[in-house]
DNA sequence: AGCTTAACCTGAGAGC
DNA sequence: TGCTCTCAGGTTAAGC
């Protein structure tokens, strides 16, 4: 279940392996994996041929390859190959002779500067993810000012695909604004976890890290966002940032072998989870304080929420 | 307009 | 064994 740390691991892997390569051709094996692309899978295949990969960028759970139609990198001609991993998406870089994966959906045939052939493969069992080509817009910082690219290596920060423009900045973004998140929290009647999962408020957070951050901050998922104090909000957002940074160092969380990084290696952060998926197990914080409480799983938004019934008490009236 | 819910999708595992 | 049911959940369109 890729969240921000997993997507960042994939982005970094792509950046390390395929920058400067040319897309020779593309084969879409399942048209459902090409999303919101006008012209459909055939146009998608044709439009990508001949493009140069100049950067790999990310916001929240969206990542994209910055493409130029010549190696010179004429900024007016940039396009984005947007990738969302959904629930089970993987990006694999392999030599062409490697056996096809069972759920291979899209093959991008690459030629390296050394004139060798490589493939970037998009594999996705549940088909919640996909790819599409998109135009790019200038990004703005917290005050609405356009972000300038001081060098060609910063173009990934200064441009954003049109379809990703509505996604809020994530906690690892240099322009992430605590005040903007806080302002949105005060304007809604929704519970705090609903906001953490709302990608237009704060991006990159999924069910796993939302539960982990709420456990760390000792906050119940249904607590109305506007009732959090400024101090609680700060602790919670610091916890979100913290679990993401930790997971990033560990290479991303993995639970069912559906997620692997760009080289096909699974993450291992799942061993340090405190709440998510821990139903029936004792709360580790309570145990340190010589108290026994058992993590519970509760239905929430057609999925599950995990919490410690002692550390994360239900707000009055819930 | 703000908020909530259904639908998309496949495979693993449980229960009978 | 083989069938049916439930669960996993990111995103968005549709409904209230």
């Amino acid at each position: 279940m890729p969240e921000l740390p997993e997507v960042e691991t994939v982005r970094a892997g792509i950046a390390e392996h395929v920058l400067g390569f040319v897309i020779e051709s593309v084969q879409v094996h399942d048209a459902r994996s090409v999303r919101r692309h006008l012209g459909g899978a055939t146009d998608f295949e044709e439009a990508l041929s001949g493009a140069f990969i100049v950067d790999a960028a990310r916001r929240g759970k969206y990542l994209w390859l910055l493409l130029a139609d010549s190696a010179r990198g004429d900024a007016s001609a940039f396009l984005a190959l947007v990738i969302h991993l959904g629930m089970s998406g993987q990006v694999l870089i392999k030599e062409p002779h490697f056996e096809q994966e069972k759920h291979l959906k899209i093959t991008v045939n690459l030629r390296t500067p050394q004139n060798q052939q490589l493939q970037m493969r998009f594999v996705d069992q549940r088909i919640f993810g996909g790819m599409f080509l998109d135009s790019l817009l200038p990004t703005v910082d917290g005050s609405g000012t356009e972000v300038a690219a001081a060098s060609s290596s910063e173009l990934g920060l200064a441009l954003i695909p049109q379809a990703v423009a509505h996604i809020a900045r994530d906690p690892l973004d240099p322009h992430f604004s605590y005040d903007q998140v806080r302002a949105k929290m005060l304007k809604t009647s929704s519970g705090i976890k609903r906001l953490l999962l709302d990608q237009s408020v704060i991006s990159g957070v999924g069910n796993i890290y939302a539960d982990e951050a709420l456990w760390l901050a000792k906050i119940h998922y249904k607590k109305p966002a506007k009732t959090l104090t400024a101090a609680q909000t700060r602790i919670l957002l610091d916890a979100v940032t913290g679990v993401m940074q930790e997971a990033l160092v560990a290479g991303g969380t993995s639970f069912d072998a559906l997620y692997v990084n760009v080289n096909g290696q699974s993450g291992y952060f799942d061993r340090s989870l405190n709440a998510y998926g821990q139903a029936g197990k004792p709360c580790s914080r309570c145990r340190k304080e010589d108290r026994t409480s058992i993590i519970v799983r509760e239905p929430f938004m057609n999925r599950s929420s995990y919490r410690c019934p002692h550390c994360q008490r239900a707000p009055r009236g819930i």
Side-chain angles (χ1 to χ4, degrees):
Chain A
M1 304 151 211
E3 297 186 24
L4 185 153
E6 291 77 13
V7 181
E8 172 57 22
T9 301
V10 172
R11 187 209 62 78
I14 291 173
E16 191 184 326
H17 288 99
V18 306
L19 294 196
F21 292 13
V22 180
I23 298 177
E24 285 205 319
S25 63
V26 177
Q27 278 118 37
V28 176
H29 311 290
D30 189 332
R32 293 175 297 179
S33 292
V34 177
R35 306 258 156 164
R36 41 178 161 184
H37 183 83
L38 292 174
T42 308
D43 184 73
F44 176 82
E45 291 176 337
E46 290 169 1
L48 279 170
S49 298
F52 286 78
I53 301 172
V54 296
D55 203 0
R58 179 191 57 74
R59 178 178 288 191
K61 300 168 197 168
Y62 282 89
L63 72 96
W64 60 92
L65 303 186
L66 191 62
L67 304 178
D69 58 10
S70 81
R72 193 169 284 267
D74 175 8
S76 64
F78 282 149
L79 278 178
L81 171 56
V82 184
I83 306 172
H84 198 291
L85 301 176
M87 280 291 297
S88 53
Q90 304 168 23
V91 176
L92 307 172
I93 309 293
K94 291 197 172 178
E95 290 171 23
H97 61 85
F98 274 69
E99 188 183 348
Q100 281 207 1
E101 293 74 15
K102 185 178 178 187
H103 300 290
L104 180 63
K105 302 299 182 187
I106 297 171
T107 302
V108 179
N109 295 297
L110 305 169
R111 184 167 291 278
T112 76
Q114 293 77 35
N115 223 24
Q116 291 173 321
Q117 289 183 313
L118 268 186
Q119 291 182 337
M120 185 175 75
R121 301 181 181 182
F122 182 68
V123 178
D124 190 10
Q125 176 200 113
R126 293 179 200 168
I127 326 182
F128 274 44
M131 292 186 176
F132 56 94
L133 258 183
D134 202 3
S135 56
L136 289 146
L137 302 170
T139 58
V140 292
D141 64 18
S143 60
T145 310
E146 282 190 13
V147 176
S151 67
S152 62
S153 64
E154 291 176 13
L155 280 169
L157 286 173
L159 299 169
I160 188 151
Q162 203 156 18
V164 186
H166 71 287
I167 301 292
R169 290 184 182 276
D170 59 66
L172 302 188
D173 188 316
H175 291 283
F176 175 77
S177 163
Y178 164 91
D179 292 334
Q180 282 189 334
V181 176
R182 174 76 176 156
K184 286 182 178 174
M185 284 173 54
L186 294 176
K187 266 191 260 178
T188 176
S189 59
S190 294
I192 182 59
K193 184 169 173 183
R194 190 180 288 279
L195 260 81
L196 287 181
L197 297 177
D198 185 338
Q199 304 298 302
S200 68
V201 175
I202 176 172
S203 72
V205 186
N207 206 31
I208 299 167
Y209 298 134
D211 279 1
E212 290 303 303
L214 287 166
W215 181 87
L216 283 168
K218 304 186 183 179
I219 296 170
H220 191 285
Y221 57 93
K222 278 189 183 168
K223 184 171 175 60
K226 62 170 61 161
T227 67
L228 267 70
T229 64
Q232 278 180 309
T233 305
R234 178 66 73 179
I235 289 169
L236 178 61
L237 294 185
D238 283 350
V240 170
T241 309
V243 291
M244 282 184 170
Q245 282 170 339
E246 235 181 282
L248 194 54
V249 170
T253 307
S254 178
F255 295 95
D256 53 10
L258 280 173
Y259 168 75
V260 292
N261 72 19
V262 75
N263 288 318
Q265 298 165 315
S266 291
Y268 50 90
F269 182 66
D270 53 306
R271 275 178 277 176
S272 49
L273 292 177
N274 286 300
Y276 181 85
Q278 306 301 304
K281 296 181 183 168
C283 166
S284 60
R285 182 168 45 211
C286 286
R287 190 168 49 193
K288 279 181 198 150
E289 294 163 16
D290 287 329
R291 191 172 51 238
T292 302
S293 7
I294 304 298
I295 301 290
V296 295
R297 168 187 171 284
E298 292 162 338
F300 173 76
M301 286 173 73
N302 278 329
R303 38 181 63 73
S304 294
S305 219
Y306 298 87
R307 69 180 176 98
C308 168
H310 177 85
C311 305
Q312 301 166 272
R313 301 288 180 90
R316 266 192 290 277
I318 303 278

